[in-house]
Amino acid sequence: MSTRPWSRRQVLNTATGGGALLGASALLGTGTAEAHGRTTERDRHHGHGRREKIIAIEEAVILPGLITQGTALNGAIPFKPEVTADWFKRLPDITEYRLADMDANGVTMQVLSLTPPGVQMQPDAAIAVRDAKVANDALAEIIAAHPTRFGGLAALPLQDPKAAVREAERAIRELGMGGFLVNGHTNGQYLDEPQFRQVWAALEDLGAAIYLHPTPAPAGDWDILKNRPELVGPLYSWAAETGGHALRVIVGGVFDDFPKAKLILGHMGEFLPFHASRLDVQIQNINTKVPLKRKPSEYLRRNIAITTSGVMDDTMLHAAITVMGIDNVIFAIDYPFEKTAQAVGFLRGAKLSSAQRAKIAHGNAERLLHL
């Protein structure tokens, strides 16, 4: 992966709407060869031993100056305090905990992206544009310091679609990012809406995928969640909301307009692979606003890839492979929210052929994200 080696002075001297960005030196680990952009012996040889190369693509990082009000860790979800404390310890880190965790479990590469809410909840479009640039520059510097260990999914400031197109082109062509991650809706706006067609056109032209990640930002009152905060977040609502967002993209005709566009969903597809046959049946009974050229299940196989993040079950994996196709299933951990040892153990123990395991472990990610 080719990246532009941004200087620490550039990163440290850039401020965001939420406050000064944590210096890249703090993220990278000052005083080390890695922090100064030199590839270490571990970097050169990691992943070339006996174990299968493993690339994980939904791996969160915090840049503290970019934390917008409403972050998933400070919301209404009743996470245990000791759990969130561990997450907050690990999210801003690169060298102390993260690399050690990767090495201990044989993970070759993490593809990093901003933890929710990223830039999606920033109400000021100009600040969102600036924050995305700062975040993407910081990610590029991390990648440049650890070129064999980290890739990046860039932030997109969709509050300003024209600026998002410019940032998309810069992130791919100048910074060498592998694609993009969007944390759910952007202040109540969804990716099927007309203003985002120019963004989809740019992404198709760049050959870059969007990872659609859950968001802690509520989309409105949902009575089924009333007095049941346990259902908010990873236990239920995030999968339903993110799967619904992806369905909006399908029924909105985005993939008919941009047939080479690619959307990535985590958590074994946010329910959708297991609902595919019903989608195909019921779409025939509905007058859709946009006439579709294909069945919903065909868009799932042609335009959507899914990851294994947080769903470590052999039955679910094989069902997803059957629905999506082996080329559309990718390994992810969801670090630090899931345990690396458990995720890697699931991958290594899954009942797969060696060719299937290689595609899920690294081949599909390398192809889709140009790693």
Side-chain angles (χ1 to χ4, degrees), residues 20 28 30 32 50 65 76 91 137 154 208 212 240 279-280 288 300 304 337 339 357 368:
L28 297 171
T30 54
T32 67
R50 295 180 181 177
L91 279 165
D137 289 348
L212 181 58
L279 297 176
D280 285 352
T288 58
L300 287 178
I304 293 179
F337 308 116
K339 300 297 184 184
R357 198 182 322 275
L368 184 59

Side-chain angles (χ1 to χ4, degrees), residues 216-228:
D221 292 334
W222 193 3
D223 285 346
I224 196 69
L225 305 178
K226 190 177 294 183
N227 299 321
R228 280 294 169 214

Side-chain angles (χ1 to χ4, degrees), residues 239-288:
E241 290 169 350
T242 308
H245 192 162
L247 276 178
R248 288 184 64 113
V249 173
I250 290 174
V251 301
V254 170
F255 297 135
D256 286 338
D257 292 344
F258 308 102
K260 295 181 180 179
K262 204 74 173 184
L263 187 71
I264 307 173
L265 299 174
H267 317 108
M268 213 68 86
E270 312 289 13
F271 298 156
L272 291 186
F274 314 106
H275 199 53
S277 61
R278 182 159 175 79
L279 297 176
D280 285 352
V281 170
Q282 289 303 314
I283 200 73
Q284 300 176 58
N285 300 328
I286 296 171
N287 286 321
T288 58

